[in-house]
Amino acid sequence: MDNSEIAAVFDEIADLLDLQGVAFKPIAYRRAARNIESMEIDINEVAADGKIEDIPGVGKAMAKKIEEMIRTGKLAYLDDLRSEVPSGLVELLKIPDVGPKTAVVLHNELGITSVAMLKEAVLSHRLHGIKGFGEKTEERILQGIRTVESKSGRTLMGIALPVAEAFVDHLKESLPLDKICLAGSLRRGKETVGDIDILVGDDKPATVMDAFVSYPEVDSLLMKGPTKSSVRLRSGLQVDIRAVESKSWGAALCYFTGSKEHNVSMRRIGVEKGLKLNEYGLFERESGTMVAGATEEEVYEALGLRYVEPEIRENSGELEASKQGTLPVLVNRADIRGDFHVHTSWSDGANKVEDVVSKAMAKGYEYIAITDHSQSLRIANGLSPERLSKQIEVVRKADELGGGRVRVLAGSEVDIRADGSLDFPSSLLKDLDIVIGSVHSRFKMEKNEMTKRVVNAVSSGQIDILGHPTGRLIGKRAPYALDLEKVFSAAKDSGVCMELNSFPDRLDLADANCRHAMNSGVKVAIATDAHSVEQMDYIKYGITTARRGWLEAKDVLNTVRGKDILKRLHGGRP
Ligand code: DGT
Ligand code: CA
Ligand code: CA
Ligand code: ZN
């Protein structure tokens, strides 16, 4: 390791100590880091001469750490510190104006552990409630997040959708619009979007454009024309709007929803029938007579096709299925009867079991599972066997209070250890109604080893659901090396479901993997992994992703009725 690498380790140690509220030490580590960085001699030479302690600011303890790094290329102390602090908190420190104190307050008060979660909280003005956080702070933090984000270019659906919906609501309040709809990748429900597209069907487009650019959240005007405009919002997102005449509404909605590849195939089908399709309508090629265009349904019908839901317009077999009448009936919100993955204040969640149950009732659920972390996950305050037993009693009581309107399932999100064994003894797991097994450590295992680990857990007969099966974090962490084919095959044999974790930066299984799971005969359990009751609303992102994966109600565990669910889970399985 060279001087700058060792300085970087000391800086990280300082950050982690800051986050733990340790006094003085962080300053000492940063001072040493600066001195090491600016030294003209290679630190390895200094070490070889046995002179590390001569470096200004480096005492005995630091010298030992430097020697360890030079000898092994690693530092056990750093690994320990990392395991004590949620990884996303360090990421928050990259935001200008967010220091360790702020990060800790955000974590303690709102359960924030990532930049994405912070952004969502700022945009929904949830920082207001915290002492010392005014409107100005929110604005500064938002600017900082935009600086950090401007490197990536795409925005999570979970961030973009609320922003887009608020904009559409504003337009509807300002004008009497009956034809207004989100288009583009956001309407198709992609996990990330490049920008927001809004389509309006209105015969007075100029007034629409005026209302569009005068929205208070607009930061800058990029383009304003008679029928199309673009703006950048305070959140950093770009929004495009198009206004079309009512008679072209359906054709334009098809066009601007995309995907481009789906549109190209649609046009080709038109050509075969002597028809021309564009954003204004569907026309006879010879005479130019318009044959359809006012609604999407009539456009599809005139092409000899069934209506295709936006989520599957990706040119991946949907037009063939549409022609043959074999399109899936996609799962929808009304089919969903419960949530299988919710954390409470027993581990790292924000709310009490009772609050989660109330929220479940408000959502019209027939069941809700309480699944806190297991003992090994100490940074998330994982439950010891004793605490889990106590929690089970609390859950049973909440179930009674629910009076049968909502079944409260006692569960756990139990860690899958490196060897594939589970983090609680089977005698304890037997007392639960539902067990999610999740990988939360050693993400960098080699593929065969990781596959064996996960297959082991799936085949143990002790889990119902494999939690966030690939471990990816969108834009931040690649999926771990895993042979999904083998995992699905083991899951099919043992009746284990794959989770579709609905957290906006997870969506794991991803859409294409959901389709793969379904084709392998494996059911998908849509779950939120909510750490607060508000996050239980993330279920909609999971449902959208399931739809993009062509899932029908029969492919999804949450469509099972309340009275049958226990028979399908843990205790009920032979
Ligand atoms: P994004 O914003 O990168 O997440 O993806 P989209 O799909 O929203 O793409 P965007 O915003 O560039 O355009 C919105 C829709 O407009 C797109 O899905 C299809 C349609 N569109 C845009 N440009 C073209 C084009 O050159 N040809 C065709 N056929 N359609 C286009
Ligand atoms: Ca777009
Ligand atoms: Ca666009
Ligand atoms: Zn988890």
Side-chain angles (χ1 to χ4, degrees), residues 134-154:
E135 201 143 335
K136 284 223 178 83
T137 324
E138 281 195 335
E139 190 62 30
R140 270 208 317 277
I141 290 179
L142 190 57
Q143 294 293 349
I145 295 174
R146 281 167 58 169
T147 312
V148 172
E149 271 182 354
S150 56
K151 292 164 204 153
S152 108
R154 295 187 71 79

Side-chain angles (χ1 to χ4, degrees), residues 384-438:
S384 63
E386 295 71 33
R387 289 180 65 224
L388 179 57
S389 299
K390 278 202 195 110
Q391 191 194 37
I392 294 174
E393 287 173 29
V394 169
V395 170
R396 297 291 175 229
K397 206 158 274 161
D399 184 51
E400 266 172 47
L401 286 175
R405 275 176 302 159
V406 59
R407 303 276 352 219
V408 189
L409 308 176
S412 172
E413 181 184 18
V414 58
D415 267 37
I416 297 174
R417 297 189 192 125
D419 61 357
S421 65
L422 299 174
D423 193 29
F424 280 134
S426 59
S427 55
L428 179 55
L429 294 176
K430 276 204 199 81
D431 293 340
L432 297 168
D433 302 318
I434 178 168
V435 177
I436 302 171
S438 295

Side-chain angles (χ1 to χ4, degrees), residues 87-309:
S87 62
L89 278 190
V90 180
E91 188 200 332
L92 290 186
L93 299 181
K94 293 201 190 105
I95 304 170
D97 279 320
V98 176
K101 283 212 184 89
T102 311
V104 168
V105 171
L106 292 169
H107 179 241
N108 292 347
E109 298 287 322
L110 299 172
I112 285 168
T113 55
S114 70
V115 175
M117 284 169 86
L118 177 57
K119 184 166 185 186
E120 194 236 15
V122 172
L123 290 176
S124 53
H125 299 293
R126 281 195 287 125
L127 265 52
H128 270 7
I130 310 174
K131 212 172 99 197
F133 285 74
E135 201 143 335
K136 284 223 178 83
T137 324
E138 281 195 335
E139 190 62 30
R140 270 208 317 277
I141 290 179
L142 190 57
Q143 294 293 349
I145 295 174
R146 281 167 58 169
T147 312
V148 172
E149 271 182 354
S150 56
K151 292 164 204 153
S152 108
R154 295 187 71 79
T155 303
L156 296 174
M157 160 172 56
I159 299 283
L161 190 64
V163 170
E165 285 174 342
F167 203 157
V168 167
D169 287 346
H170 164 81
L171 291 171
K172 280 188 191 158
E173 279 164 24
S174 335
L175 297 170
L177 294 171
D178 61 332
K179 293 193 180 68
I180 178 164
C181 190
L182 294 174
S185 51
L186 199 52
R187 182 167 185 236
R188 302 200 309 281
K190 272 190 81 162
E191 60 195 32
T192 64
V193 302
D195 66 3
I196 295 170
D197 301 282
I198 300 176
L199 185 71
V200 175
D202 194 87
D203 299 334
K204 287 199 226 68
T207 52
V208 178
M209 295 303 133
D210 289 342
F212 178 74
V213 301
S214 63
Y215 181 45
E217 296 284 311
V218 168
D219 186 62
S220 57
L221 177 63
L222 303 175
M223 200 266 291
K224 184 170 182 238
T227 60
K228 62 183 203 181
S229 302
S230 293
V231 294
R232 189 170 299 285
L233 298 180
R234 261 177 5 103
S235 58
L237 276 157
Q238 183 180 326
V239 190
D240 294 345
I241 193 165
R242 282 285 291 245
V244 298
E245 289 177 54
S246 302
K247 64 173 191 213
S248 297
W249 166 250
L253 197 49
C254 281
Y255 184 90
F256 292 108
T257 297
S259 65
K260 218 180 269 184
E261 294 72 19
H262 176 88
N263 291 351
V264 168
S265 296
M266 291 268 282
R267 277 208 296 279
R268 193 169 299 136
I269 292 170
V271 168
E272 287 164 14
K273 295 183 176 313
L275 299 169
K276 189 179 139 189
L277 177 64
N278 57 32
E279 64 262 54
Y280 303 104
L282 184 64
F283 305 90
E284 281 177 3
R285 190 160 283 279
E286 301 283 296
S287 65
T289 311
M290 184 161 167
V291 296
T295 67
E296 286 190 303
E297 285 80 0
E298 72 177 38
V299 172
Y300 279 103
E301 198 187 334
L303 289 170
L305 300 166
R306 310 267 170 99
Y307 175 78
V308 178
E309 302 277 3

Side-chain angles (χ1 to χ4, degrees), residues 396 409-410 429-435 461-464 564-574:
R396 297 291 175 229
L409 308 176
L429 294 176
K430 276 204 199 81
D431 293 340
L432 297 168
D433 302 318
I434 178 168
V435 177
Q462 299 187 57
I463 72 170
D464 301 284
D564 299 324
I565 193 67
L566 279 176
K567 282 179 257 166
R568 301 292 291 274
L569 294 169
H570 219 59
R573 283 216 317 270

